[in-house]
Amino acid sequence: MSGLTSSEFVRHAAAALERVRNTRPRVHCLMNTVVQKLVADGLSAIDAIPSMTSSPEEVEAFVEKADALSVNLGTLDSQRRTSITLGVSASARLGRPWVLDPAHCDYSASRATFAQQLLREGTPILRANEAEFWLLQVSDDVVGVRTGKHDVVRKGAQSITIENGHPLTAKVTGTGCLSGAVIAAFLALGEDPHLSAASALLAFGVASELAADHARGPGSFEPALLDALHAISPDDILKRARISHDQG
């Protein structure tokens, strides 16, 4: 874990949250059409600045203005493929950090092929569930985020396991997409991408638990999550963090 102990990493994550709020990074999101508002609202809640256009005529200009890019392959069509290709190429050319969520690539061979092609552009962060993650070939220089009951953030032989989170996140469409965009916001700090991705997931997992404390079910969980992302403090991370790590 880049030489950090577990307690040092937790302190790093708590401080990273404050740095995101202080720097207000711009995150351009190429999201599926179902989740755009939730992702934009969630980024705004942590004081990042979202942009969402997927127009092929505009996407490169928006990526140039952004500090990081978040890409989701949901609701994929020919125009969105073009926009994603343009956005990822621009991000790689400019050296911007970017996150790939290969949503449902295990359902579609053409989507899996597209995801694998995208992973060769720059140095992305892959955020995927178990089935998606193991379907793709992930090189050692790519930070791989494998989500599930516990989230595992791995680069080469080093891994950080985030145990924070709540089952209600799986009941609200778009929470996974939002967590990918939050990772992009933390990556925009320009720090170690492995630590940044893990810090983002720790903050998101703690916010999910805080939200669940006030939710009665999925319908009230979504606004509670936005409130929690807005209100979460470094102390919440320090007090609630449950993580483990393996240096391989």
Side-chain angles (χ1 to χ4, degrees):
M1 195 164 61
S2 300
L4 298 185
T5 65
S6 295
S7 60
E8 287 171 338
F9 163 67
V10 172
R11 289 195 295 273
H12 173 90
L17 172 65
E18 282 298 282
R19 289 193 290 275
V20 168
R21 289 198 167 126
N22 290 335
T23 59
R24 303 201 67 205
R26 293 180 178 271
V27 180
H28 190 66
C29 303
L30 294 171
M31 286 287 122
N32 72 73
T33 56
V34 178
V35 304
Q36 289 174 332
K37 186 177 187 304
L38 175 61
V39 171
D41 288 346
L43 285 173
S44 296
I46 62 167
D47 291 325
I49 302 171
S51 56
M52 311 296 290
T53 185
S54 60
S55 166
E57 294 79 17
E58 295 183 317
V59 65
E60 290 176 291
F62 273 80
V63 170
E64 289 175 1
K65 295 289 187 182
D67 300 300
L69 173 68
S70 183
V71 174
N72 179 284
L73 300 190
T75 61
L76 194 61
D77 55 27
S78 58
Q79 177 178 310
R80 197 167 293 275
R81 280 177 182 263
T82 298
S83 296
I84 288 171
T85 300
L86 290 169
V88 167
S89 295
S91 184
R93 182 178 72 252
L94 296 164
R96 302 279 194 273
W98 71 281
V99 180
L100 174 64
D101 184 339
H104 298 306
C105 69
D106 54 322
Y107 287 25
S108 164
S110 65
R111 187 174 298 195
T113 299
F114 184 47
Q116 196 68 66
Q117 292 169 346
L118 292 173
L119 284 174
R120 302 188 187 102
E121 294 282 345
T123 309
I125 305 294
L126 174 67
R127 181 215 166 275
N129 64 30
E130 290 271 355
E132 296 159 354
F133 188 92
W134 295 120
L135 179 68
L136 299 172
Q137 296 176 6
V138 185
S139 65
D140 285 344
D141 62 340
V142 170
V143 175
V145 176
R146 191 172 74 249
T147 61
K149 182 179 179 181
H150 297 154
D151 297 330
V152 180
V153 186
R154 177 174 292 276
K155 183 177 183 183
Q158 295 187 345
S159 68
I160 305 171
T161 300
I162 310 297
E163 298 178 7
N164 294 91
H166 195 275
L168 276 174
T169 57
K171 300 292 186 180
V172 176
T173 300
T175 53
C177 310
L178 174 55
S179 73
V182 171
I183 290 172
F186 276 66
L187 288 173
L189 296 173
E191 300 170 354
D192 181 298
H194 185 215
L195 294 179
S196 293
S199 297
L201 283 175
L202 177 55
F204 193 85
V206 170
S208 299
E209 294 175 350
L210 293 170
D213 290 343
H214 300 282
R216 299 184 303 278
S220 53
F221 179 78
E222 180 177 331
L225 178 59
L226 295 176
D227 288 345
L229 287 169
H230 174 70
I232 185 175
S233 70
D235 280 347
D236 291 324
I237 293 175
L238 294 172
K239 291 175 182 177
R240 287 182 173 251
R242 301 191 309 279
I243 68 109
S244 61
H245 72 277
D246 182 2
Q247 300 287 0

